Amino acid sequence: MIDDAHNFKLAGINKKNKGSDKHSDLIKNHINILEAVIPAIKKVSKYGTERQIKNEINKRIRECQNILGMWGDRRSGILYFEKSINFLEVKDKNKFTVEHVIPVSATVQRYIDGDPIPIEKLIFNPIALITTESDKQLREKGLAKSGHDFDFPFRRYKQVEIEIKDLHGTVINCENFSIEDHFELIHKVPELQEVINEINDTKSIHTIQKTL
């Protein structure tokens, strides 16, 4: 049986363990921690300071994506899939790999270099589920952490002929599908848009770059 649409849902939250059952609260908490930790790293670190800062930003982005179910084992919040993947089998860790369409290391470096995009928007950059064979292909071609295009993030996949569909089962054009198209898709997913709205409704939390 092949399902023609992904059963999208945000990852569940145990309020007793997390303190809140709102995804936006937990994401804002990570961003606020990051805002506090970076100055502390700069103050006390004597060696490898930039690497320590990069690692912290990388960690917080992944933690927030895990909260949403976009990263890690739950996978219920992923928006993009290799065309051949059966939506009913997405949790099979032996067959499939969760992959950042724009490598997180590249995103973090661009952010540190002064890209004006706020950290909370970087959290929602595209993530895809691909087969382990395709993941191996990317690595063999030297494209696991390079060859990315920030404006047209899926072009890296086109180089090795990986075809991608969205959560509705619609195959996207990896050559021309832009980062704007990605965020337009997010706007059409009510659960994700609600999280974004709740984050944006709070006081500005875009001050992290000022500490770099």
Side-chain angles (χ1 to χ4, degrees):
M1 176 181 178
I2 302 293
D3 204 353
D4 61 357
H6 174 49
N7 183 24
F8 176 92
K9 62 180 179 179
L10 297 177
I13 297 174
N14 186 322
K15 183 177 181 179
K16 183 177 180 180
N17 291 337
K18 300 294 186 181
S20 173
D21 59 1
K22 291 180 72 67
H23 297 82
S24 57
D25 285 347
L26 299 182
I27 289 172
K28 286 182 288 186
N29 189 55
H30 276 291
I31 295 173
N32 290 337
I33 291 171
L34 185 59
E35 188 175 26
V37 166
I38 289 178
I41 292 174
K42 294 182 70 175
K43 182 177 180 180
V44 304
S45 176
K46 294 182 179 180
Y47 314 105
T49 303
E50 182 172 325
R51 172 51 54 192
Q52 296 283 354
I53 291 172
K54 287 180 180 179
N55 288 345
E56 187 65 29
I57 297 173
N58 190 312
K59 172 187 173 182
R60 296 297 169 181
I61 287 176
R62 292 173 188 268
E63 289 281 1
C64 291
Q65 291 169 340
N66 192 41
I67 288 168
L68 295 167
M70 293 179 172
W71 182 251
D73 294 336
R74 289 180 284 185
R75 306 180 177 188
S76 59
I78 294 176
L79 300 180
Y80 302 99
F81 305 82
E82 189 166 345
K83 181 182 175 181
S84 62
I85 292 177
N86 183 338
F87 285 129
L88 298 176
E89 299 179 348
V90 298
K91 290 191 177 182
D92 191 330
K93 292 181 284 185
N94 295 318
K95 291 183 178 180
F96 311 124
T97 300
V98 183
E99 219 259 346
H100 288 93
V101 181
I102 302 173
V104 178
S105 57
T107 296
V108 171
Q109 185 61 59
R110 193 181 189 197
Y111 182 75
I112 285 178
D113 289 342
D115 190 296
I117 297 177
I119 191 73
E120 55 267 39
K121 190 169 183 178
L122 300 181
I123 291 164
F124 291 91
N125 270 351
I127 294 172
L129 190 70
I130 62 175
T131 63
T132 53
E133 292 85 356
S134 292
D135 183 56
K136 181 180 178 182
Q137 206 174 1
L138 285 171
R139 296 180 186 281
E140 289 176 346
K141 296 291 185 179
L143 296 171
K145 295 185 178 181
S146 63
H148 50 274
D149 186 314
F150 290 106
D151 296 321
F152 297 94
F154 290 91
R155 284 183 177 175
R156 184 166 60 102
Y157 293 161
K158 186 174 177 59
Q159 294 182 55
V160 289
E161 299 182 347
I162 297 173
E163 293 185 283
I164 297 293
K165 61 186 177 183
D166 66 18
L167 75 165
H168 304 301
T170 302
V171 177
I172 69 170
N173 185 324
C174 289
E175 176 70 22
N176 298 323
F177 195 86
S178 68
I179 193 68
E180 288 82 7
D181 292 327
H182 163 64
F183 281 103
E184 183 62 30
L185 178 62
I186 284 181
H187 293 327
K188 296 177 182 177
V189 180
E191 299 93 329
L192 281 179
Q193 188 57 52
E194 182 179 1
V195 173
I196 291 174
N197 290 342
E198 289 171 351
I199 292 173
N200 291 339
D201 280 346
T202 60
K203 66 183 181 65
S204 175
I205 46 178
H206 302 176
T207 57
I208 297 171
Q209 275 180 325
K210 296 178 182 176
T211 68
L212 296 175

